[in-house]
Amino acid sequence: MKYTQENGNIILKDYDSFIISQTLECGQCFNFNKLGEEDYIVTAHKKALHIYQSGDAIVFEDTSINEFETIWLNYFDLNRDYNEIKKLLADEDEILKGAVEYAPGIRIINQEFFQCLISFIISQNNRIPMIKKVVYNISKKYGEYIRTVNGEDYYSFPEPKRLFGLDGEEYKDCKAGFRGKYIADAVTKYVTDELEIESFKSLSTEELRKRLISINGVGPKVADCVMLFSLKRSDAFPTDVWVKRIMSYFYFGGQDTPIKKIHEFADEKFGDYSGFAQQYLFNYARQFKIGTDK
DNA sequence: ATCCAGGCCCGAT
DNA sequence: ATCGGGCATGGA
């Protein structure tokens, strides 16, 4: 991987495993807008990044070396060798090989913790387009205006303090539905430091999971997503309906298997690579509707 | 129209 | 401990 600055843009070349559409649209994040083929706006870190493919390069528009190195390099996990991960998983079995080859351009994004937490609280019993809308509505109502691109306004995700004290009902304007009270509890626990975020790094994944589940509206699945997508816990294995289906289908003879058994299996088989395996499998299962009657 | 969505809470066993 | 109904909202 190498990157240079040209005309105010960062040009990324000689990278491995990075297809913008696959990384953004594999279900791990909701803070993006598609402008065209391999052409997106991503809102994070109070910025609206225009990122697109140009030949064999990826362009981070209007970005300095400093901004690239302090924000986007880590955000898109560009220091990690995904060829190594993909090879390891593909060698595991034919199923993973297929899942990896189907979307070889997925990278696990390192999202901002607060936005990720709220996003996945919203995700429960919801659909991805709707999750994106609610995240956008909250940003528009409580965040700060960043800029307009192609007639579309972009807003930063609000600071926790900005949301502190809001009643759960307030989020109904943003179409959060019954999840408003959950958002309110997450905000309260964040701002009052009930979560003790500073201590996260010293906790085991299991301990951290329990801490996150103390939030009303955060269960095992949401906690695992938050740990994987914003706290670099690649040993987490978020198991939603799709992952449950594909795991049952391929590894348990088609028998509907309890999540606890699936977790034990994933721990043993994937270990610290569980999160990566999960994302390839989730994407694969969802695209082909594996385990459903369709 | 009825069903369901990257689940979780809560009350009943 | 485990199970099932209910839940806001909107698209199929």
Side-chain angles (χ1 to χ4, degrees), chain A residues 35-205:
Chain A
L35 302 182
E37 291 303 308
E38 301 306 325
D39 187 358
Y40 289 83
I41 299 288
V42 177
T43 56
H45 294 276
K46 301 184 188 297
K47 307 207 176 284
L49 172 71
H50 186 190
I51 181 171
Y52 56 91
Q53 186 84 40
S54 176
D56 61 353
I58 289 179
V59 179
F60 295 69
E61 200 173 82
D62 193 19
T63 308
S64 66
I65 289 278
N66 182 58
E67 178 183 319
F68 181 77
E69 290 180 343
T70 55
I71 298 177
W72 306 120
L73 205 56
N74 177 59
Y75 192 78
F76 292 106
D77 210 20
L78 291 167
N79 283 320
R80 193 189 300 275
D81 182 356
Y82 277 74
N83 280 334
E84 187 184 320
I85 293 170
K86 289 190 292 184
K87 183 177 188 327
L88 194 143
L89 293 176
D91 287 347
E92 190 76 25
D93 60 56
E94 289 301 311
I95 295 147
L96 273 164
K97 187 160 185 267
V100 165
E101 285 176 355
Y102 179 69
I106 289 177
R107 287 177 164 270
I108 299 297
I109 295 180
N110 293 120
Q111 302 178 44
E112 295 164 279
F113 171 67
F114 182 65
Q115 169 167 8
C116 188
L117 173 62
I118 302 302
S119 296
F120 278 96
I121 286 173
I122 293 164
S123 79
Q124 62 182 89
N125 202 48
N126 214 341
R127 298 178 195 227
I128 289 175
M130 196 60 199
I131 302 164
K132 289 181 67 181
K133 276 185 196 167
V134 179
V135 170
Y136 180 80
N137 291 342
I138 290 174
S139 302
K140 182 169 185 175
K141 186 168 183 185
Y142 300 107
E144 288 174 23
Y145 171 76
I146 303 170
R147 63 184 177 121
T148 302
V149 182
N150 291 2
E152 194 77 27
D153 297 335
Y154 294 93
Y155 301 85
S156 63
F157 195 78
E159 293 290 326
K161 280 181 191 168
R162 176 69 184 84
L163 302 179
F164 186 53
L166 292 179
D167 187 87
E169 295 292 316
E170 308 254 14
Y171 299 104
K172 290 202 169 177
D173 290 346
C174 301
K175 306 302 177 188
F178 65 90
R179 308 166 193 85
K181 55 185 179 292
Y182 301 154
I183 297 172
D185 190 54
V187 169
T188 300
K189 287 193 165 72
Y190 186 108
V191 174
T192 62
D193 199 32
E194 209 171 314
L195 296 174
E196 299 186 64
I197 294 162
E198 291 303 316
S199 72
F200 279 5
K201 282 188 281 294
S202 67
L203 300 180
S204 70
T205 298

Side-chain angles (χ1 to χ4, degrees), chain A residues 206-244:
Chain A
E206 197 49 46
E207 292 167 333
L208 181 52
R209 195 174 199 243
K210 282 182 189 157
R211 189 76 65 80
L212 293 172
I213 287 175
S214 73
I215 298 167
N216 189 25
V218 175
K221 191 271 175 181
V222 169
D224 286 347
C225 283
V226 173
M227 289 195 293
L228 174 60
F229 299 132
S230 74
L231 298 171
K232 297 192 174 183
R233 300 297 176 122
S234 65
D235 51 336
F237 192 79
T239 306
D240 73 320
V241 285
W242 290 107
V243 175
K244 189 168 185 284

